[in-house]
mmCIF file of all heavy atoms in Angstrom:
data_model
loop_
_atom_site.group_PDB
_atom_site.id
_atom_site.type_symbol
_atom_site.label_atom_id
_atom_site.label_comp_id
_atom_site.label_asym_id
_atom_site.label_seq_id
_atom_site.Cartn_x
_atom_site.Cartn_y
_atom_site.Cartn_z
ATOM 1 N N ALA A 1 1.106 9.350 -2.570
ATOM 2 C CA ALA A 1 0.257 8.685 -3.557
ATOM 3 C C ALA A 1 1.027 7.466 -4.056
ATOM 4 O O ALA A 1 2.148 7.601 -4.564
ATOM 5 C CB ALA A 1 -0.077 9.613 -4.718
ATOM 6 N N VAL A 2 0.451 6.284 -3.886
ATOM 7 C CA VAL A 2 1.109 5.050 -4.340
ATOM 8 C C VAL A 2 0.603 4.721 -5.739
ATOM 9 O O VAL A 2 -0.588 4.480 -5.941
ATOM 10 C CB VAL A 2 0.816 3.872 -3.383
ATOM 11 C CG1 VAL A 2 1.571 2.625 -3.853
ATOM 12 C CG2 VAL A 2 1.225 4.228 -1.956
ATOM 13 N N PHE A 3 1.540 4.737 -6.697
ATOM 14 C CA PHE A 3 1.213 4.491 -8.107
ATOM 15 C C PHE A 3 1.419 3.023 -8.469
ATOM 16 O O PHE A 3 2.341 2.367 -7.970
ATOM 17 C CB PHE A 3 2.114 5.330 -9.023
ATOM 18 C CG PHE A 3 1.693 6.757 -9.193
ATOM 19 C CD1 PHE A 3 1.841 7.673 -8.161
ATOM 20 C CD2 PHE A 3 1.153 7.204 -10.391
ATOM 21 C CE1 PHE A 3 1.477 8.999 -8.318
ATOM 22 C CE2 PHE A 3 0.770 8.528 -10.556
ATOM 23 C CZ PHE A 3 0.931 9.428 -9.517
ATOM 24 N N ASN A 4 0.573 2.531 -9.385
ATOM 25 C CA ASN A 4 0.716 1.179 -9.906
ATOM 26 C C ASN A 4 0.133 1.136 -11.311
ATOM 27 O O ASN A 4 -1.072 1.343 -11.488
ATOM 28 C CB ASN A 4 -0.008 0.177 -9.004
ATOM 29 C CG ASN A 4 0.092 -1.247 -9.512
ATOM 30 O OD1 ASN A 4 1.048 -1.628 -10.187
ATOM 31 N ND2 ASN A 4 -0.910 -2.057 -9.205
ATOM 32 N N ASN A 5 0.979 0.945 -12.305
ATOM 33 C CA ASN A 5 0.527 0.819 -13.702
ATOM 34 C C ASN A 5 -0.373 1.961 -14.153
ATOM 35 O O ASN A 5 -1.417 1.751 -14.781
ATOM 36 C CB ASN A 5 -0.203 -0.516 -13.911
ATOM 37 C CG ASN A 5 0.730 -1.709 -13.849
ATOM 38 O OD1 ASN A 5 1.893 -1.607 -14.235
ATOM 39 N ND2 ASN A 5 0.245 -2.817 -13.349
ATOM 40 N N GLY A 6 0.030 3.191 -13.837
ATOM 41 C CA GLY A 6 -0.697 4.353 -14.315
ATOM 42 C C GLY A 6 -1.873 4.779 -13.467
ATOM 43 O O GLY A 6 -2.518 5.785 -13.754
ATOM 44 N N TYR A 7 -2.166 4.008 -12.430
ATOM 45 C CA TYR A 7 -3.243 4.346 -11.500
ATOM 46 C C TYR A 7 -2.666 4.718 -10.138
ATOM 47 O O TYR A 7 -1.564 4.294 -9.782
ATOM 48 C CB TYR A 7 -4.181 3.150 -11.281
ATOM 49 C CG TYR A 7 -5.066 2.798 -12.443
ATOM 50 C CD1 TYR A 7 -4.773 1.708 -13.259
ATOM 51 C CD2 TYR A 7 -6.220 3.534 -12.709
ATOM 52 C CE1 TYR A 7 -5.597 1.358 -14.319
ATOM 53 C CE2 TYR A 7 -7.055 3.187 -13.767
ATOM 54 C CZ TYR A 7 -6.738 2.097 -14.576
ATOM 55 O OH TYR A 7 -7.555 1.763 -15.621
ATOM 56 N N ILE A 8 -3.437 5.463 -9.367
ATOM 57 C CA ILE A 8 -3.101 5.669 -7.957
ATOM 58 C C ILE A 8 -3.911 4.675 -7.141
ATOM 59 O O ILE A 8 -5.136 4.677 -7.177
ATOM 60 C CB ILE A 8 -3.391 7.113 -7.511
ATOM 61 C CG1 ILE A 8 -2.382 8.074 -8.163
ATOM 62 C CG2 ILE A 8 -3.312 7.233 -5.990
ATOM 63 C CD1 ILE A 8 -2.576 9.524 -7.771
ATOM 64 N N GLU A 9 -3.207 3.815 -6.418
ATOM 65 C CA GLU A 9 -3.861 2.796 -5.596
ATOM 66 C C GLU A 9 -4.381 3.386 -4.283
ATOM 67 O O GLU A 9 -5.431 2.971 -3.788
ATOM 68 C CB GLU A 9 -2.865 1.672 -5.279
ATOM 69 C CG GLU A 9 -2.428 0.859 -6.477
ATOM 70 C CD GLU A 9 -3.263 -0.397 -6.651
ATOM 71 O OE1 GLU A 9 -4.008 -0.763 -5.723
ATOM 72 O OE2 GLU A 9 -3.167 -1.012 -7.735
ATOM 73 N N GLN A 10 -3.618 4.331 -3.707
ATOM 74 C CA GLN A 10 -4.022 4.914 -2.430
ATOM 75 C C GLN A 10 -3.320 6.239 -2.225
ATOM 76 O O GLN A 10 -2.162 6.416 -2.610
ATOM 77 C CB GLN A 10 -3.686 3.964 -1.272
ATOM 78 C CG GLN A 10 -4.167 4.443 0.095
ATOM 79 C CD GLN A 10 -3.923 3.421 1.201
ATOM 80 O OE1 GLN A 10 -3.535 2.283 0.945
ATOM 81 N NE2 GLN A 10 -4.144 3.825 2.439
ATOM 82 N N VAL A 11 -4.022 7.191 -1.616
ATOM 83 C CA VAL A 11 -3.434 8.468 -1.190
ATOM 84 C C VAL A 11 -3.679 8.602 0.300
ATOM 85 O O VAL A 11 -4.793 8.389 0.782
ATOM 86 C CB VAL A 11 -4.082 9.663 -1.926
ATOM 87 C CG1 VAL A 11 -3.512 10.981 -1.406
ATOM 88 C CG2 VAL A 11 -3.872 9.556 -3.432
ATOM 89 N N GLY A 12 -2.622 8.965 1.038
ATOM 90 C CA GLY A 12 -2.809 9.133 2.474
ATOM 91 C C GLY A 12 -1.544 9.518 3.183
ATOM 92 O O GLY A 12 -0.461 9.576 2.582
ATOM 93 N N ALA A 13 -1.660 9.784 4.472
ATOM 94 C CA ALA A 13 -0.503 10.064 5.313
ATOM 95 C C ALA A 13 0.337 8.791 5.430
ATOM 96 O O ALA A 13 -0.198 7.681 5.295
ATOM 97 C CB ALA A 13 -0.958 10.523 6.690
ATOM 98 N N PRO A 14 1.645 8.922 5.678
ATOM 99 C CA PRO A 14 2.499 7.730 5.803
ATOM 100 C C PRO A 14 1.947 6.690 6.776
ATOM 101 O O PRO A 14 1.971 5.486 6.485
ATOM 102 C CB PRO A 14 3.831 8.313 6.291
ATOM 103 C CG PRO A 14 3.858 9.683 5.704
ATOM 104 C CD PRO A 14 2.439 10.166 5.757
ATOM 105 N N TYR A 15 1.416 7.141 7.917
ATOM 106 C CA TYR A 15 0.875 6.204 8.914
ATOM 107 C C TYR A 15 -0.255 5.369 8.317
ATOM 108 O O TYR A 15 -0.315 4.145 8.516
ATOM 109 C CB TYR A 15 0.369 6.990 10.127
ATOM 110 C CG TYR A 15 -0.226 6.106 11.206
ATOM 111 C CD1 TYR A 15 0.567 5.602 12.235
ATOM 112 C CD2 TYR A 15 -1.587 5.761 11.185
ATOM 113 C CE1 TYR A 15 0.025 4.775 13.217
ATOM 114 C CE2 TYR A 15 -2.128 4.943 12.151
ATOM 115 C CZ TYR A 15 -1.320 4.455 13.173
ATOM 116 O OH TYR A 15 -1.854 3.630 14.128
ATOM 117 N N ASP A 16 -1.142 6.019 7.579
ATOM 118 C CA ASP A 16 -2.288 5.309 7.008
ATOM 119 C C ASP A 16 -1.873 4.392 5.864
ATOM 120 O O ASP A 16 -2.407 3.285 5.724
ATOM 121 C CB ASP A 16 -3.342 6.309 6.525
ATOM 122 C CG ASP A 16 -3.963 7.080 7.680
ATOM 123 O OD1 ASP A 16 -4.168 6.469 8.737
ATOM 124 O OD2 ASP A 16 -4.219 8.285 7.531
ATOM 125 N N ILE A 17 -0.949 4.855 5.043
ATOM 126 C CA ILE A 17 -0.460 4.020 3.942
ATOM 127 C C ILE A 17 0.142 2.734 4.495
ATOM 128 O O ILE A 17 -0.088 1.637 3.967
ATOM 129 C CB ILE A 17 0.598 4.780 3.107
ATOM 130 C CG1 ILE A 17 -0.021 5.984 2.384
ATOM 131 C CG2 ILE A 17 1.298 3.841 2.121
ATOM 132 C CD1 ILE A 17 -0.918 5.636 1.230
ATOM 133 N N TYR A 18 0.883 2.844 5.577
ATOM 134 C CA TYR A 18 1.582 1.687 6.149
ATOM 135 C C TYR A 18 0.648 0.800 6.970
ATOM 136 O O TYR A 18 0.655 -0.423 6.832
ATOM 137 C CB TYR A 18 2.731 2.171 7.045
ATOM 138 C CG TYR A 18 3.653 1.066 7.515
ATOM 139 C CD1 TYR A 18 4.693 0.605 6.708
ATOM 140 C CD2 TYR A 18 3.501 0.484 8.773
ATOM 141 C CE1 TYR A 18 5.536 -0.406 7.127
ATOM 142 C CE2 TYR A 18 4.332 -0.527 9.206
ATOM 143 C CZ TYR A 18 5.350 -0.967 8.380
ATOM 144 O OH TYR A 18 6.185 -1.973 8.800
ATOM 145 N N ASN A 19 -0.164 1.401 7.802
ATOM 146 C CA ASN A 19 -0.981 0.633 8.744
ATOM 147 C C ASN A 19 -2.393 0.341 8.260
ATOM 148 O O ASN A 19 -3.044 -0.564 8.779
ATOM 149 C CB ASN A 19 -1.075 1.383 10.077
ATOM 150 C CG ASN A 19 0.268 1.481 10.778
ATOM 151 O OD1 ASN A 19 0.808 0.485 11.245
ATOM 152 N ND2 ASN A 19 0.816 2.681 10.836
ATOM 153 N N ARG A 20 -2.869 1.110 7.294
ATOM 154 C CA ARG A 20 -4.230 0.921 6.792
ATOM 155 C C ARG A 20 -4.213 0.845 5.267
ATOM 156 O O ARG A 20 -4.925 1.589 4.588
ATOM 157 C CB ARG A 20 -5.135 2.066 7.258
ATOM 158 C CG ARG A 20 -5.254 2.137 8.781
ATOM 159 C CD ARG A 20 -6.000 3.359 9.233
ATOM 160 N NE ARG A 20 -6.005 3.471 10.685
ATOM 161 C CZ ARG A 20 -5.965 4.613 11.354
ATOM 162 N NH1 ARG A 20 -5.914 5.767 10.700
ATOM 163 N NH2 ARG A 20 -5.982 4.627 12.676
ATOM 164 N N SER A 21 -3.381 -0.025 4.763
ATOM 165 C CA SER A 21 -3.283 -0.206 3.310
ATOM 166 C C SER A 21 -4.643 -0.583 2.741
ATOM 167 O O SER A 21 -5.377 -1.392 3.322
ATOM 168 C CB SER A 21 -2.267 -1.304 2.986
ATOM 169 O OG SER A 21 -1.000 -0.989 3.529
ATOM 170 N N GLU A 22 -4.979 0.003 1.593
ATOM 171 C CA GLU A 22 -6.313 -0.196 1.015
ATOM 172 C C GLU A 22 -6.345 -1.242 -0.091
ATOM 173 O O GLU A 22 -7.410 -1.565 -0.604
ATOM 174 C CB GLU A 22 -6.844 1.136 0.478
ATOM 175 C CG GLU A 22 -7.141 2.148 1.583
ATOM 176 C CD GLU A 22 -7.637 3.476 1.047
ATOM 177 O OE1 GLU A 22 -7.704 3.637 -0.197
ATOM 178 O OE2 GLU A 22 -7.945 4.369 1.871
ATOM 179 N N SER A 23 -5.172 -1.741 -0.474
ATOM 180 C CA SER A 23 -5.144 -2.768 -1.523
ATOM 181 C C SER A 23 -3.977 -3.706 -1.280
ATOM 182 O O SER A 23 -3.039 -3.389 -0.548
ATOM 183 C CB SER A 23 -5.007 -2.129 -2.911
ATOM 184 O OG SER A 23 -3.708 -1.588 -3.084
ATOM 185 N N GLU A 24 -4.052 -4.863 -1.903
ATOM 186 C CA GLU A 24 -2.981 -5.847 -1.776
ATOM 187 C C GLU A 24 -1.663 -5.289 -2.304
ATOM 188 O O GLU A 24 -0.600 -5.524 -1.732
ATOM 189 C CB GLU A 24 -3.363 -7.127 -2.524
ATOM 190 C CG GLU A 24 -2.351 -8.247 -2.389
ATOM 191 C CD GLU A 24 -2.843 -9.551 -2.994
ATOM 192 O OE1 GLU A 24 -4.045 -9.846 -2.909
ATOM 193 O OE2 GLU A 24 -2.000 -10.283 -3.562
ATOM 194 N N PHE A 25 -1.734 -4.512 -3.389
ATOM 195 C CA PHE A 25 -0.511 -3.948 -3.960
ATOM 196 C C PHE A 25 0.179 -3.013 -2.965
ATOM 197 O O PHE A 25 1.380 -3.101 -2.743
ATOM 198 C CB PHE A 25 -0.821 -3.177 -5.252
ATOM 199 C CG PHE A 25 0.390 -2.485 -5.822
ATOM 200 C CD1 PHE A 25 1.290 -3.169 -6.614
ATOM 201 C CD2 PHE A 25 0.639 -1.150 -5.533
ATOM 202 C CE1 PHE A 25 2.426 -2.542 -7.119
ATOM 203 C CE2 PHE A 25 1.759 -0.511 -6.027
ATOM 204 C CZ PHE A 25 2.663 -1.216 -6.824
ATOM 205 N N VAL A 26 -0.589 -2.095 -2.364
ATOM 206 C CA VAL A 26 -0.010 -1.142 -1.408
ATOM 207 C C VAL A 26 0.561 -1.883 -0.208
ATOM 208 O O VAL A 26 1.687 -1.624 0.234
ATOM 209 C CB VAL A 26 -1.071 -0.123 -0.931
ATOM 210 C CG1 VAL A 26 -0.511 0.767 0.166
ATOM 211 C CG2 VAL A 26 -1.535 0.727 -2.107
ATOM 212 N N CYS A 27 -0.199 -2.819 0.308
ATOM 213 C CA CYS A 27 0.228 -3.610 1.460
ATOM 214 C C CYS A 27 1.546 -4.329 1.180
ATOM 215 O O CYS A 27 2.460 -4.329 2.003
ATOM 216 C CB CYS A 27 -0.868 -4.622 1.780
ATOM 217 S SG CYS A 27 -0.493 -5.729 3.120
ATOM 218 N N ASP A 28 1.663 -4.908 -0.002
ATOM 219 C CA ASP A 28 2.836 -5.702 -0.365
ATOM 220 C C ASP A 28 4.022 -4.825 -0.739
ATOM 221 O O ASP A 28 5.180 -5.189 -0.509
ATOM 222 C CB ASP A 28 2.472 -6.621 -1.541
ATOM 223 C CG ASP A 28 3.419 -7.802 -1.660
ATOM 224 O OD1 ASP A 28 4.095 -8.118 -0.670
ATOM 225 O OD2 ASP A 28 3.479 -8.406 -2.742
ATOM 226 N N PHE A 29 3.748 -3.636 -1.309
ATOM 227 C CA PHE A 29 4.833 -2.764 -1.781
ATOM 228 C C PHE A 29 5.487 -1.989 -0.639
ATOM 229 O O PHE A 29 6.682 -1.726 -0.655
ATOM 230 C CB PHE A 29 4.296 -1.784 -2.830
ATOM 231 C CG PHE A 29 5.373 -0.938 -3.460
ATOM 232 C CD1 PHE A 29 6.238 -1.485 -4.395
ATOM 233 C CD2 PHE A 29 5.533 0.390 -3.109
ATOM 234 C CE1 PHE A 29 7.248 -0.717 -4.972
ATOM 235 C CE2 PHE A 29 6.529 1.169 -3.674
ATOM 236 C CZ PHE A 29 7.385 0.608 -4.615
ATOM 237 N N ILE A 30 4.694 -1.610 0.364
ATOM 238 C CA ILE A 30 5.204 -0.795 1.462
ATOM 239 C C ILE A 30 5.725 -1.684 2.582
ATOM 240 O O ILE A 30 4.979 -2.436 3.198
ATOM 241 C CB ILE A 30 4.093 0.120 2.032
ATOM 242 C CG1 ILE A 30 3.528 1.022 0.950
ATOM 243 C CG2 ILE A 30 4.602 0.941 3.201
ATOM 244 C CD1 ILE A 30 4.437 2.125 0.512
ATOM 245 N N GLY A 31 7.007 -1.592 2.866
ATOM 246 C CA GLY A 31 7.571 -2.310 3.998
ATOM 247 C C GLY A 31 7.744 -3.795 3.748
ATOM 248 O O GLY A 31 7.519 -4.308 2.649
ATOM 249 N N ASP A 32 8.141 -4.513 4.800
ATOM 250 C CA ASP A 32 8.380 -5.950 4.734
ATOM 251 C C ASP A 32 7.133 -6.660 5.240
ATOM 252 O O ASP A 32 6.621 -6.346 6.309
ATOM 253 C CB ASP A 32 9.601 -6.298 5.608
ATOM 254 C CG ASP A 32 10.274 -7.577 5.145
ATOM 255 O OD1 ASP A 32 9.719 -8.265 4.263
ATOM 256 O OD2 ASP A 32 11.350 -7.905 5.681
ATOM 257 N N ILE A 33 6.654 -7.639 4.484
ATOM 258 C CA ILE A 33 5.336 -8.217 4.759
ATOM 259 C C ILE A 33 5.393 -9.740 4.746
ATOM 260 O O ILE A 33 6.229 -10.335 4.067
ATOM 261 C CB ILE A 33 4.308 -7.709 3.711
ATOM 262 C CG1 ILE A 33 2.882 -7.815 4.245
ATOM 263 C CG2 ILE A 33 4.461 -8.413 2.391
ATOM 264 C CD1 ILE A 33 2.480 -6.645 5.082
ATOM 265 N N ASN A 34 4.528 -10.360 5.527
ATOM 266 C CA ASN A 34 4.319 -11.806 5.476
ATOM 267 C C ASN A 34 2.993 -12.101 4.798
ATOM 268 O O ASN A 34 1.999 -11.386 5.004
ATOM 269 C CB ASN A 34 4.250 -12.391 6.894
ATOM 270 C CG ASN A 34 5.608 -12.510 7.535
ATOM 271 O OD1 ASN A 34 6.488 -13.209 7.046
ATOM 272 N ND2 ASN A 34 5.785 -11.817 8.656
ATOM 273 N N ARG A 35 2.970 -13.157 4.020
ATOM 274 C CA ARG A 35 1.726 -13.666 3.450
ATOM 275 C C ARG A 35 1.313 -14.892 4.257
ATOM 276 O O ARG A 35 2.080 -15.849 4.357
ATOM 277 C CB ARG A 35 1.923 -14.053 1.979
ATOM 278 C CG ARG A 35 2.167 -12.863 1.062
ATOM 279 C CD ARG A 35 2.577 -13.314 -0.340
ATOM 280 N NE ARG A 35 2.671 -12.175 -1.231
ATOM 281 C CZ ARG A 35 1.737 -11.825 -2.105
ATOM 282 N NH1 ARG A 35 0.630 -12.550 -2.203
ATOM 283 N NH2 ARG A 35 1.883 -10.769 -2.873
ATOM 284 N N LEU A 36 0.124 -14.844 4.826
ATOM 285 C CA LEU A 36 -0.396 -15.956 5.614
ATOM 286 C C LEU A 36 -1.401 -16.738 4.772
ATOM 287 O O LEU A 36 -2.381 -16.182 4.288
ATOM 288 C CB LEU A 36 -1.067 -15.440 6.893
ATOM 289 C CG LEU A 36 -0.216 -14.533 7.791
ATOM 290 C CD1 LEU A 36 -1.023 -14.091 9.003
ATOM 291 C CD2 LEU A 36 1.067 -15.237 8.224
#
């Protein structure tokens, strides 16, 4: 469960959290990322 300011942004298996991030926060917080 990825927490952000008292909310849960996403719940899922590690593979889904990393490869199928559901929000900009989760995408940016998990792993190393590029902004295009």
Side-chain angles (χ1 to χ4, degrees):
V2 183
F3 279 72
N4 179 28
N5 290 328
Y7 289 103
I8 290 181
E9 293 265 347
Q10 184 175 351
V11 177
Y15 179 91
D16 294 322
I17 294 288
Y18 189 83
N19 294 291
R20 298 173 185 146
S21 302
E22 292 179 357
S23 71
E24 183 173 324
F25 175 83
V26 174
C27 177
D28 201 20
F29 185 75
I30 302 288
D32 205 352
I33 202 84
N34 283 299
R35 292 171 174 260
L36 306 179

